[in-house]
Amino acid sequence: MITSTTTLVPDSPAAAYDAYRQAASAVFLAGTQGLKYRKEHYELAVDLSKAGLSYIEEEGDEIDIGAMTPLWQIKISPVIQKLAGGAVSRAISDIADKDIQRYGTLGGVISGKGAFSVLLPILLSLHVDVLLQDKGRMSLEDYLQCPPMGELVTGISIAREEVYTAYKAYRRPSRSSCHCPVGQ
C-alpha cells in the first residue's frame, strides 16, 4: 500500500486538482484498488471521497457518470442496465476480482487504462468522452492513447443512442482445472 506525508480531503474537483498540481509528489485516492499493491511514498495523497464525483445523471442526449461512482452502483443503475442492451452492467459483473467490483471506481478503470479491463472494450464500442478537470473533454479512444498527463478524470459522458452490441467474457481455465486427457 502507498504511504503519504499528508492526506487532503478536498470538497471539489477543482480544489483536488489544484492541490495535486502544487505538490512535489502526489497521488489521487479513489477506490484505491489499483494502489493496494504499490509500495511508494508520496508527499500528498488527495482523497477524492468528498469531491462530489459520485453520480449517474441523465443530461439530455448523454448519461454522465462521476469518476468516484463505485462500479457496483453503475452495474445496478436502471439507466445503465438499459444502455447498449445491458452490456456495461454485464461487463462489470464479469470482473473476476469481487473487491474491484465492490470498491473499484469508474475513474480508477478509466485512468488506469488497464489492457486487462473487461469494461474498457464495452465503453470503446459506445460514444464516450472522458471529462478532465481544467482540460475539458476528449474521446475515450484518444484518452487511452495519450501518455499520462497528470490529469484528474472527473467522469465520463456516454452518448444516448441505439447501439447493438454483443458481449462475452472469456477466461482461460487454469491448468489445475483442465480435465483434458494427459498428452493433449
Side-chain angles (χ1 to χ4, degrees), residues 40-133:
E40 298 170 9
H41 181 79
Y42 295 91
E43 176 185 309
L44 177 66
V46 182
D47 181 343
L48 297 173
S49 63
K50 306 279 189 228
L53 295 174
S54 182
Y55 57 85
I56 300 172
E57 298 174 347
E58 297 178 77
E59 297 287 330
D61 292 341
E62 296 181 326
I63 300 168
D64 294 334
I65 306 172
M68 285 296 293
T69 307
L71 295 177
W72 69 265
Q73 192 174 13
I74 296 168
K75 177 176 118 175
I76 65 169
S77 165
V79 172
I80 302 303
Q81 288 177 346
K82 293 177 192 171
L83 182 69
V88 173
S89 294
R90 284 195 312 278
I92 294 170
S93 293
D94 282 335
I95 295 172
D97 186 333
K98 298 305 176 196
D99 280 344
I100 291 177
Q101 272 193 45
R102 185 171 184 167
Y103 301 111
T105 61
L106 176 67
V109 170
I110 301 296
S111 65
K113 301 181 182 183
F116 55 84
S117 174
V118 297
L119 185 55
L120 287 177
I122 298 301
L123 293 176
L124 284 166
S125 72
L126 306 172
H127 288 98
V128 175
D129 283 342
V130 178
L131 310 174
L132 303 167
Q133 181 64 41

Coordinates of all heavy atoms in Angstrom, one line a residue, residues 40-133:
E40 N 4.9 2.8 -2.6 CA 5.5 4.1 -2.9 C 5.1 5.1 -1.9 O 4.1 4.9 -1.2 CB 5.1 4.6 -4.3 CG 5.5 3.6 -5.4 CD 4.9 4.0 -6.8 OE1 4.2 5.1 -6.9 OE2 5.0 3.2 -7.7
H41 N 5.9 6.1 -1.7 CA 5.6 7.2 -0.8 C 5.4 8.5 -1.5 O 6.2 8.8 -2.5 CB 6.7 7.4 0.2 CG 6.4 8.4 1.2 ND1 5.6 8.2 2.3 CD2 6.8 9.7 1.3 CE1 5.5 9.4 3.0 NE2 6.2 10.3 2.4
Y42 N 4.4 9.2 -1.2 CA 4.1 10.5 -1.8 C 4.0 11.6 -0.7 O 3.7 11.3 0.4 CB 2.7 10.4 -2.5 CG 2.7 9.5 -3.7 CD1 2.3 8.1 -3.5 CD2 3.0 9.9 -4.9 CE1 2.3 7.3 -4.5 CE2 3.0 9.0 -6.0 CZ 2.6 7.7 -5.8 OH 2.6 6.8 -6.8
E43 N 4.4 12.8 -1.2 CA 4.2 13.9 -0.3 C 2.8 14.2 0.1 O 2.4 14.4 1.2 CB 4.8 15.2 -0.9 CG 4.6 16.4 -0.1 CD 5.1 17.7 -0.9 OE1 6.2 17.7 -1.4 OE2 4.3 18.6 -1.0
L44 N 1.9 14.0 -0.9 CA 0.5 14.3 -0.7 C -0.4 13.2 -1.3 O -0.2 12.8 -2.4 CB 0.1 15.6 -1.4 CG -1.4 16.0 -1.3 CD1 -1.8 16.3 0.1 CD2 -1.6 17.3 -2.2
A45 N -1.4 12.8 -0.5 CA -2.4 11.9 -1.0 C -3.7 12.7 -1.1 O -4.1 13.3 0.0 CB -2.6 10.7 -0.2
V46 N -4.3 12.8 -2.2 CA -5.6 13.6 -2.4 C -6.7 12.6 -2.4 O -7.0 11.9 -3.4 CB -5.5 14.5 -3.7 CG1 -6.8 15.3 -3.8 CG2 -4.3 15.3 -3.7
D47 N -7.5 12.6 -1.3 CA -8.6 11.7 -1.2 C -9.8 12.3 -1.8 O -10.3 13.4 -1.4 CB -8.9 11.5 0.3 CG -10.1 10.5 0.6 OD1 -10.9 10.3 -0.3 OD2 -10.1 10.0 1.8
L48 N -10.4 11.7 -2.9 CA -11.5 12.2 -3.7 C -12.9 11.9 -3.1 O -13.9 12.2 -3.8 CB -11.3 11.8 -5.1 CG -10.1 12.2 -5.8 CD1 -10.0 11.5 -7.2 CD2 -10.0 13.7 -6.0
S49 N -13.0 11.3 -2.0 CA -14.2 10.8 -1.5 C -15.3 11.9 -1.2 O -16.5 11.6 -1.3 CB -14.0 9.9 -0.2 OG -13.5 10.7 0.8
K50 N -14.8 13.1 -1.0 CA -15.8 14.2 -0.7 C -15.8 15.2 -1.8 O -16.4 16.3 -1.6 CB -15.4 14.9 0.6 CG -15.2 13.9 1.8 CD -16.6 13.6 2.4 CE -16.4 12.9 3.7 NZ -17.1 11.7 3.9
A51 N -15.3 14.9 -2.9 CA -15.1 15.9 -4.0 C -16.4 16.0 -4.9 O -16.4 16.7 -5.9 CB -13.9 15.6 -4.9
G52 N -17.4 15.3 -4.6 CA -18.7 15.4 -5.4 C -18.6 14.7 -6.7 O -19.3 15.1 -7.7
L53 N -17.9 13.6 -6.8 CA -17.7 12.9 -8.1 C -18.4 11.5 -8.2 O -18.0 10.7 -9.0 CB -16.2 12.7 -8.4 CG -15.4 14.0 -8.6 CD1 -13.9 13.7 -8.7 CD2 -15.9 14.7 -9.8
S54 N -19.4 11.3 -7.3 CA -20.1 10.1 -7.3 C -21.5 10.3 -7.8 O -22.3 10.8 -7.0 CB -20.1 9.4 -6.0 OG -20.8 8.1 -6.0
Y55 N -21.8 10.1 -9.0 CA -23.2 10.3 -9.6 C -23.4 9.6 -10.9 O -22.5 9.3 -11.6 CB -23.4 11.9 -9.8 CG -22.4 12.5 -10.7 CD1 -22.6 12.5 -12.1 CD2 -21.3 13.1 -10.2 CE1 -21.6 13.0 -12.9 CE2 -20.3 13.7 -11.0 CZ -20.5 13.6 -12.4 OH -19.6 14.2 -13.2
I56 N -24.7 9.4 -11.2 CA -25.1 9.0 -12.5 C -26.3 9.9 -12.9 O -27.3 9.9 -12.2 CB -25.5 7.5 -12.5 CG1 -24.4 6.6 -12.1 CG2 -26.1 7.1 -13.9 CD1 -24.8 5.1 -11.9
E57 N -26.1 10.7 -13.9 CA -27.1 11.7 -14.3 C -27.4 11.6 -15.7 O -26.5 11.4 -16.6 CB -26.6 13.1 -13.9 CG -26.3 13.3 -12.5 CD -25.7 14.7 -12.2 OE1 -25.3 15.4 -13.2 OE2 -25.7 15.1 -11.0
E58 N -28.7 11.7 -16.0 CA -29.1 11.8 -17.4 C -29.2 13.3 -17.8 O -29.9 14.1 -17.1 CB -30.5 11.2 -17.6 CG -30.5 9.7 -17.3 CD -31.9 9.1 -17.4 OE1 -32.3 8.8 -18.5 OE2 -32.5 8.9 -16.3
E59 N -28.5 13.7 -18.8 CA -28.4 15.1 -19.2 C -28.7 15.1 -20.7 O -27.8 15.0 -21.6 CB -27.0 15.7 -19.0 CG -26.6 15.7 -17.5 CD -27.3 16.8 -16.8 OE1 -27.7 17.8 -17.4 OE2 -27.5 16.6 -15.6
G60 N -30.0 15.3 -21.1 CA -30.4 15.4 -22.5 C -30.0 14.1 -23.2 O -30.5 13.0 -22.9
D61 N -29.1 14.2 -24.2 CA -28.7 13.1 -25.0 C -27.5 12.3 -24.5 O -26.9 11.5 -25.2 CB -28.4 13.5 -26.5 CG -29.6 14.0 -27.2 OD1 -30.7 13.7 -26.8 OD2 -29.5 14.8 -28.2
E62 N -27.2 12.6 -23.2 CA -26.0 11.9 -22.6 C -26.3 11.4 -21.2 O -27.2 11.9 -20.6 CB -24.8 12.9 -22.5 CG -24.3 13.5 -23.9 CD -23.2 14.4 -23.7 OE1 -23.1 15.2 -22.8 OE2 -22.3 14.4 -24.6
I63 N -25.5 10.5 -20.8 CA -25.5 9.9 -19.5 C -24.1 10.3 -18.9 O -23.1 9.9 -19.5 CB -25.8 8.4 -19.4 CG1 -27.1 8.1 -20.1 CG2 -25.7 7.9 -18.0 CD1 -27.3 6.6 -20.4
D64 N -24.1 11.0 -17.8 CA -22.9 11.4 -17.2 C -22.7 10.6 -15.9 O -23.6 10.4 -15.1 CB -22.9 12.9 -16.8 CG -22.9 13.8 -18.0 OD1 -22.4 13.4 -19.1 OD2 -23.4 15.0 -17.8
I65 N -21.4 10.0 -15.8 CA -21.1 9.2 -14.6 C -19.8 9.8 -14.0 O -18.8 10.0 -14.7 CB -20.9 7.7 -15.0 CG1 -22.1 7.2 -15.8 CG2 -20.6 6.9 -13.8 CD1 -21.8 5.8 -16.4
G66 N -19.9 10.1 -12.7 CA -18.8 10.6 -12.0 C -17.7 9.6 -11.8 O -17.9 8.4 -11.6
A67 N -16.4 10.1 -11.7 CA -15.3 9.2 -11.5 C -15.3 8.4 -10.2 O -14.7 7.3 -10.2 CB -14.0 10.1 -11.6
M68 N -15.9 9.0 -9.2 CA -15.9 8.2 -7.9 C -17.1 7.3 -7.7 O -17.3 6.7 -6.7 CB -15.9 9.3 -6.7 CG -14.5 9.9 -6.5 SD -13.2 8.7 -6.0 CE -13.8 8.2 -4.4
T69 N -17.9 7.2 -8.8 CA -19.0 6.3 -8.7 C -18.5 4.8 -8.7 O -17.8 4.4 -9.5 CB -19.9 6.4 -10.0 OG1 -20.3 7.8 -10.1 CG2 -21.2 5.6 -9.8
P70 N -18.9 4.1 -7.6 CA -18.4 2.7 -7.5 C -19.0 1.8 -8.6 O -20.1 2.1 -9.1 CB -19.0 2.2 -6.2 CG -19.4 3.5 -5.4 CD -19.7 4.5 -6.5
L71 N -18.2 0.9 -9.1 CA -18.7 0.0 -10.2 C -20.0 -0.7 -9.9 O -20.8 -0.9 -10.7 CB -17.5 -1.0 -10.5 CG -16.3 -0.4 -11.1 CD1 -15.2 -1.4 -11.3 CD2 -16.5 0.5 -12.3
W72 N -20.1 -1.2 -8.6 CA -21.4 -1.9 -8.3 C -22.6 -1.0 -8.5 O -23.7 -1.4 -8.9 CB -21.3 -2.4 -6.8 CG -21.4 -1.4 -5.8 CD1 -20.3 -0.8 -5.1 CD2 -22.6 -0.8 -5.2 NE1 -20.8 0.1 -4.2 CE2 -22.1 0.2 -4.3 CE3 -23.9 -0.9 -5.5 CZ2 -23.0 1.0 -3.5 CZ3 -24.8 -0.1 -4.7 CH2 -24.4 0.8 -3.8
Q73 N -22.4 0.3 -8.2 CA -23.5 1.3 -8.3 C -23.9 1.5 -9.8 O -25.0 1.6 -10.2 CB -23.2 2.6 -7.7 CG -24.4 3.5 -7.5 CD -24.0 4.8 -6.7 OE1 -22.8 5.0 -6.5 NE2 -25.0 5.5 -6.3
I74 N -22.9 1.5 -10.7 CA -23.1 1.6 -12.1 C -23.8 0.3 -12.6 O -24.7 0.4 -13.4 CB -21.7 1.8 -12.8 CG1 -21.1 3.1 -12.4 CG2 -21.9 1.7 -14.3 CD1 -19.7 3.3 -12.8
K75 N -23.3 -0.8 -12.1 CA -23.9 -2.1 -12.5 C -25.4 -2.2 -12.3 O -26.2 -2.7 -13.1 CB -23.2 -3.2 -11.8 CG -23.7 -4.6 -12.1 CD -22.8 -5.7 -11.4 CE -23.6 -6.4 -10.4 NZ -22.9 -7.5 -9.8
I76 N -25.9 -1.7 -11.1 CA -27.3 -1.8 -10.8 C -28.2 -0.7 -11.2 O -29.4 -0.7 -11.0 CB -27.5 -2.1 -9.2 CG1 -27.0 -0.9 -8.4 CG2 -26.7 -3.4 -8.8 CD1 -27.4 -0.9 -7.0
S77 N -27.6 0.4 -11.8 CA -28.3 1.5 -12.2 C -29.3 1.2 -13.3 O -28.9 0.6 -14.3 CB -27.4 2.6 -12.7 OG -28.1 3.6 -13.4
P78 N -30.6 1.5 -13.2 CA -31.6 1.2 -14.2 C -31.2 1.9 -15.5 O -31.4 1.3 -16.6 CB -32.9 1.7 -13.7 CG -32.7 1.8 -12.2 CD -31.2 2.0 -12.0
V79 N -30.6 3.1 -15.5 CA -30.2 3.8 -16.7 C -29.1 3.0 -17.4 O -29.2 2.9 -18.6 CB -29.8 5.2 -16.3 CG1 -29.1 5.9 -17.5 CG2 -30.9 6.0 -15.7
I80 N -28.2 2.5 -16.7 CA -27.1 1.8 -17.3 C -27.5 0.4 -17.7 O -27.0 0.0 -18.8 CB -25.9 1.7 -16.3 CG1 -25.4 3.1 -15.9 CG2 -24.7 0.9 -16.9 CD1 -25.0 4.1 -17.0
Q81 N -28.4 -0.2 -17.0 CA -28.9 -1.5 -17.4 C -29.6 -1.5 -18.8 O -29.6 -2.4 -19.5 CB -29.8 -2.1 -16.3 CG -29.0 -2.6 -15.1 CD -29.8 -3.1 -14.0 OE1 -31.1 -2.9 -14.0 NE2 -29.2 -3.8 -13.1
K82 N -30.2 -0.3 -19.1 CA -30.9 -0.2 -20.4 C -29.9 0.2 -21.5 O -30.2 0.0 -22.7 CB -31.9 0.9 -20.3 CG -33.1 0.6 -19.4 CD -34.0 1.8 -19.3 CE -35.0 1.6 -18.2 NZ -35.8 2.8 -18.0
L83 N -28.8 0.7 -21.2 CA -27.8 1.2 -22.2 C -27.1 0.0 -22.9 O -26.7 -0.9 -22.2 CB -26.7 2.0 -21.5 CG -25.7 2.7 -22.3 CD1 -26.3 3.7 -23.2 CD2 -24.6 3.2 -21.4
A84 N -27.1 0.0 -24.2 CA -26.4 -1.0 -25.0 C -26.9 -2.4 -24.6 O -26.0 -3.3 -24.6 CB -24.9 -0.8 -24.9
G85 N -28.1 -2.6 -24.4 CA -28.6 -3.9 -24.1 C -28.1 -4.5 -22.8 O -28.1 -5.7 -22.6
G86 N -27.6 -3.6 -21.9 CA -27.1 -4.1 -20.6 C -25.7 -4.5 -20.6 O -25.2 -5.1 -19.6
A87 N -25.0 -4.3 -21.7 CA -23.6 -4.7 -21.8 C -22.7 -4.2 -20.8 O -21.8 -4.9 -20.3 CB -23.0 -4.4 -23.2
V88 N -22.8 -2.9 -20.4 CA -22.0 -2.3 -19.4 C -22.2 -3.0 -18.1 O -21.2 -3.4 -17.4 CB -22.2 -0.8 -19.3 CG1 -21.5 -0.2 -18.1 CG2 -21.9 -0.1 -20.6
S89 N -23.4 -3.2 -17.7 CA -23.7 -3.9 -16.4 C -23.1 -5.3 -16.4 O -22.5 -5.8 -15.4 CB -25.2 -4.0 -16.1 OG -25.7 -2.7 -15.9
R90 N -23.3 -6.0 -17.5 CA -22.7 -7.4 -17.6 C -21.2 -7.4 -17.6 O -20.6 -8.3 -17.0 CB -23.3 -8.1 -18.9 CG -24.7 -8.5 -18.8 CD -25.1 -9.5 -19.8 NE -24.8 -9.2 -21.2 CZ -25.5 -8.3 -22.0 NH1 -26.6 -7.8 -21.5 NH2 -25.1 -8.1 -23.2
A91 N -20.6 -6.4 -18.2 CA -19.1 -6.4 -18.1 C -18.6 -6.2 -16.7 O -17.7 -6.8 -16.3 CB -18.6 -5.3 -19.0
I92 N -19.3 -5.4 -15.9 CA -18.9 -5.2 -14.5 C -19.1 -6.5 -13.8 O -18.3 -6.9 -12.9 CB -19.7 -4.0 -13.9 CG1 -19.3 -2.7 -14.6 CG2 -19.5 -4.0 -12.4 CD1 -20.1 -1.5 -14.2
S93 N -20.2 -7.2 -14.1 CA -20.5 -8.5 -13.4 C -19.4 -9.5 -13.7 O -19.1 -10.4 -12.9 CB -21.8 -9.1 -13.9 OG -22.9 -8.3 -13.4
D94 N -18.7 -9.4 -14.8 CA -17.7 -10.3 -15.2 C -16.3 -9.9 -14.7 O -15.3 -10.6 -15.0 CB -17.6 -10.4 -16.8 CG -18.8 -11.3 -17.3 OD1 -19.3 -12.2 -16.5 OD2 -19.1 -11.2 -18.5
I95 N -16.2 -8.9 -14.0 CA -14.9 -8.6 -13.3 C -14.6 -9.6 -12.3 O -15.4 -9.8 -11.4 CB -14.9 -7.2 -12.7 CG1 -15.1 -6.1 -13.8 CG2 -13.6 -6.9 -11.9 CD1 -15.3 -4.7 -13.3
A96 N -13.5 -10.3 -12.5 CA -13.2 -11.5 -11.7 C -13.0 -11.2 -10.2 O -13.4 -11.9 -9.3 CB -12.0 -12.2 -12.2
D97 N -12.3 -10.1 -9.9 CA -12.0 -9.7 -8.5 C -13.2 -9.0 -7.9 O -13.5 -7.8 -8.3 CB -10.8 -8.7 -8.6 CG -10.3 -8.4 -7.2 OD1 -11.1 -8.4 -6.2 OD2 -9.1 -8.1 -7.0
K98 N -13.9 -9.6 -7.0 CA -15.1 -9.1 -6.4 C -14.8 -7.8 -5.6 O -15.7 -7.0 -5.5 CB -15.8 -10.1 -5.5 CG -16.2 -11.4 -6.3 CD -17.1 -11.0 -7.5 CE -17.5 -12.2 -8.3 NZ -18.0 -11.9 -9.6
D99 N -13.6 -7.6 -5.1 CA -13.3 -6.4 -4.4 C -13.3 -5.2 -5.4 O -13.7 -4.1 -5.0 CB -11.9 -6.5 -3.7 CG -12.0 -7.2 -2.4 OD1 -13.1 -7.4 -1.8 OD2 -10.9 -7.6 -1.9
I100 N -12.8 -5.5 -6.6 CA -12.8 -4.4 -7.6 C -14.2 -4.1 -8.0 O -14.6 -2.9 -8.1 CB -12.0 -4.8 -8.8 CG1 -10.5 -4.8 -8.4 CG2 -12.2 -3.8 -10.0 CD1 -9.5 -5.2 -9.5
Q101 N -15.1 -5.1 -8.1 CA -16.5 -4.8 -8.4 C -17.1 -4.0 -7.3 O -17.9 -3.1 -7.6 CB -17.3 -6.1 -8.5 CG -17.3 -6.8 -9.8 CD -18.4 -7.9 -9.9 OE1 -19.5 -7.7 -9.4 NE2 -18.0 -9.0 -10.5
R102 N -16.8 -4.3 -6.1 CA -17.4 -3.6 -4.9 C -16.8 -2.2 -4.6 O -17.5 -1.3 -4.3 CB -17.4 -4.5 -3.7 CG -18.1 -3.9 -2.5 CD -18.2 -4.9 -1.4 NE -19.0 -4.4 -0.4 CZ -19.5 -5.0 0.6 NH1 -19.3 -6.3 0.7 NH2 -20.2 -4.4 1.5
Y103 N -15.5 -2.2 -4.6 CA -14.8 -0.9 -4.2 C -14.2 -0.1 -5.3 O -13.8 1.0 -5.1 CB -13.7 -1.3 -3.1 CG -14.3 -2.0 -1.9 CD1 -14.0 -3.3 -1.7 CD2 -15.1 -1.3 -1.0 CE1 -14.5 -4.0 -0.6 CE2 -15.6 -2.0 0.1 CZ -15.3 -3.3 0.3 OH -15.8 -4.0 1.4
G104 N -14.0 -0.7 -6.4 CA -13.4 0.0 -7.6 C -14.3 1.1 -8.0 O -15.5 1.1 -7.9
T105 N -13.7 2.1 -8.7 CA -14.5 3.2 -9.2 C -14.3 3.4 -10.7 O -13.3 2.9 -11.2 CB -14.0 4.6 -8.5 OG1 -12.6 4.8 -8.8 CG2 -14.2 4.5 -7.0
L106 N -15.2 4.1 -11.3 CA -15.1 4.3 -12.7 C -13.8 5.1 -13.1 O -13.2 4.7 -14.0 CB -16.3 5.1 -13.2 CG -16.3 5.5 -14.7 CD1 -16.4 4.3 -15.6 CD2 -17.4 6.5 -15.0
G107 N -13.5 6.1 -12.3 CA -12.3 6.8 -12.5 C -11.0 5.9 -12.5 O -10.1 6.1 -13.2
G108 N -11.0 5.0 -11.6 CA -9.9 4.0 -11.5 C -9.8 3.2 -12.8 O -8.7 3.0 -13.3
V109 N -10.9 2.8 -13.3 CA -10.9 2.0 -14.5 C -10.4 2.8 -15.7 O -9.5 2.4 -16.5 CB -12.3 1.4 -14.9 CG1 -12.3 0.8 -16.3 CG2 -12.7 0.4 -13.8
I110 N -10.9 4.1 -15.8 CA -10.5 4.9 -16.9 C -9.1 5.4 -16.8 O -8.3 5.2 -17.7 CB -11.5 6.2 -17.0 CG1 -12.9 5.7 -17.2 CG2 -11.0 7.1 -18.1 CD1 -13.3 5.0 -18.4
S111 N -8.7 5.9 -15.7 CA -7.3 6.5 -15.5 C -6.3 5.4 -15.5 O -5.2 5.6 -15.9 CB -7.2 7.4 -14.3 OG -7.4 6.6 -13.1
G112 N -6.7 4.2 -15.0 CA -5.7 3.1 -15.0 C -5.4 2.5 -16.4 O -4.3 1.9 -16.6
K113 N -6.3 2.8 -17.4 CA -6.0 2.4 -18.8 C -5.6 0.9 -18.9 O -4.7 0.6 -19.7 CB -5.0 3.3 -19.4 CG -5.4 4.8 -19.4 CD -4.3 5.6 -20.1 CE -4.6 7.1 -20.1 NZ -3.7 7.9 -20.8
G114 N -6.1 0.1 -18.0 CA -5.7 -1.3 -18.0 C -6.0 -2.1 -19.2 O -7.2 -2.2 -19.6
A115 N -5.0 -2.7 -19.8 CA -5.2 -3.5 -21.0 C -6.1 -4.8 -20.7 O -6.7 -5.4 -21.6 CB -3.9 -4.0 -21.6
F116 N -6.1 -5.2 -19.4 CA -6.9 -6.3 -19.0 C -8.3 -6.0 -18.7 O -9.1 -6.9 -18.3 CB -6.2 -6.9 -17.7 CG -6.0 -5.9 -16.7 CD1 -7.1 -5.6 -15.8 CD2 -4.9 -5.2 -16.5 CE1 -7.0 -4.6 -14.8 CE2 -4.7 -4.2 -15.6 CZ -5.8 -3.9 -14.7
S117 N -8.7 -4.8 -18.8 CA -10.1 -4.4 -18.4 C -11.1 -5.0 -19.2 O -11.1 -5.0 -20.4 CB -10.2 -2.9 -18.5 OG -11.5 -2.5 -18.2
V118 N -12.2 -5.6 -18.6 CA -13.3 -6.1 -19.3 C -14.3 -5.0 -19.6 O -15.1 -5.1 -20.5 CB -14.0 -7.3 -18.6 CG1 -13.1 -8.4 -18.5 CG2 -14.6 -6.8 -17.3
L119 N -14.2 -3.8 -18.9 CA -15.1 -2.7 -19.1 C -14.7 -1.8 -20.2 O -15.6 -1.3 -21.0 CB -15.3 -2.0 -17.8 CG -16.3 -0.8 -17.8 CD1 -17.7 -1.3 -18.2 CD2 -16.4 -0.2 -16.4
L120 N -13.4 -1.6 -20.4 CA -13.0 -0.6 -21.4 C -13.4 -1.0 -22.8 O -13.8 -0.1 -23.6 CB -11.5 -0.4 -21.3 CG -11.0 0.5 -20.2 CD1 -9.5 0.6 -20.1 CD2 -11.6 1.8 -20.2
P121 N -13.3 -2.3 -23.3 CA -13.8 -2.6 -24.6 C -15.3 -2.2 -24.9 O -15.6 -1.8 -25.9 CB -13.5 -4.1 -24.8 CG -12.5 -4.4 -23.8 CD -12.7 -3.4 -22.6
I122 N -16.1 -2.5 -23.9 CA -17.5 -2.1 -24.0 C -17.7 -0.6 -24.1 O -18.4 -0.1 -25.0 CB -18.3 -2.7 -22.8 CG1 -18.3 -4.2 -22.7 CG2 -19.8 -2.2 -22.9 CD1 -18.8 -4.9 -24.0
L123 N -17.0 0.1 -23.3 CA -17.1 1.6 -23.4 C -16.5 2.1 -24.7 O -17.1 3.1 -25.2 CB -16.3 2.2 -22.2 CG -17.0 2.0 -20.8 CD1 -16.1 2.6 -19.7 CD2 -18.4 2.5 -20.7
L124 N -15.5 1.5 -25.2 CA -15.0 1.9 -26.5 C -16.0 1.6 -27.7 O -15.9 2.2 -28.7 CB -13.7 1.2 -26.8 CG -12.5 1.7 -26.1 CD1 -11.3 0.8 -26.1 CD2 -12.1 3.1 -26.6
S125 N -16.9 0.7 -27.5 CA -17.9 0.4 -28.5 C -19.0 1.5 -28.5 O -19.8 1.5 -29.4 CB -18.5 -1.0 -28.4 OG -19.4 -1.0 -27.2
L126 N -19.0 2.3 -27.5 CA -20.0 3.4 -27.4 C -19.3 4.7 -27.7 O -18.1 4.8 -27.8 CB -20.6 3.4 -26.0 CG -21.2 2.1 -25.5 CD1 -21.5 2.2 -24.0 CD2 -22.4 1.7 -26.3
H127 N -20.1 5.8 -27.8 CA -19.5 7.1 -27.9 C -19.4 7.7 -26.5 O -20.3 8.2 -25.9 CB -20.5 8.0 -28.8 CG -20.4 7.7 -30.2 ND1 -21.4 6.9 -30.8 CD2 -19.5 8.0 -31.2 CE1 -21.1 6.8 -32.1 NE2 -20.0 7.4 -32.3
V128 N -18.1 7.6 -26.0 CA -17.8 8.0 -24.7 C -16.7 9.1 -24.7 O -15.7 9.0 -25.4 CB -17.3 6.8 -23.8 CG1 -16.8 7.2 -22.5 CG2 -18.4 5.7 -23.7
D129 N -17.0 10.2 -23.9 CA -16.0 11.2 -23.7 C -15.5 11.1 -22.3 O -16.3 10.9 -21.4 CB -16.5 12.6 -24.0 CG -16.6 12.9 -25.5 OD1 -16.0 12.2 -26.3 OD2 -17.4 13.8 -25.8
V130 N -14.2 11.3 -22.1 CA -13.6 11.4 -20.7 C -13.6 12.9 -20.3 O -13.2 13.7 -21.1 CB -12.2 10.8 -20.7 CG1 -11.6 11.0 -19.3 CG2 -12.2 9.4 -21.1
L131 N -14.1 13.2 -19.1 CA -14.2 14.5 -18.6 C -12.9 14.8 -17.7 O -12.7 14.0 -16.8 CB -15.5 14.8 -17.8 CG -16.7 14.3 -18.6 CD1 -18.0 14.5 -17.7 CD2 -16.9 15.1 -19.9
L132 N -12.2 15.8 -18.0 CA -10.9 16.1 -17.3 C -11.0 17.4 -16.6 O -11.3 18.4 -17.3 CB -9.7 16.0 -18.3 CG -9.6 14.7 -19.0 CD1 -8.6 14.9 -20.2 CD2 -9.1 13.6 -18.1
Q133 N -10.6 17.5 -15.4 CA -10.6 18.8 -14.7 C -9.6 19.7 -15.3 O -8.5 19.4 -15.5 CB -10.2 18.6 -13.2 CG -10.2 19.8 -12.4 CD -11.6 20.5 -12.2 OE1 -12.6 19.8 -12.1 NE2 -11.6 21.8 -12.3

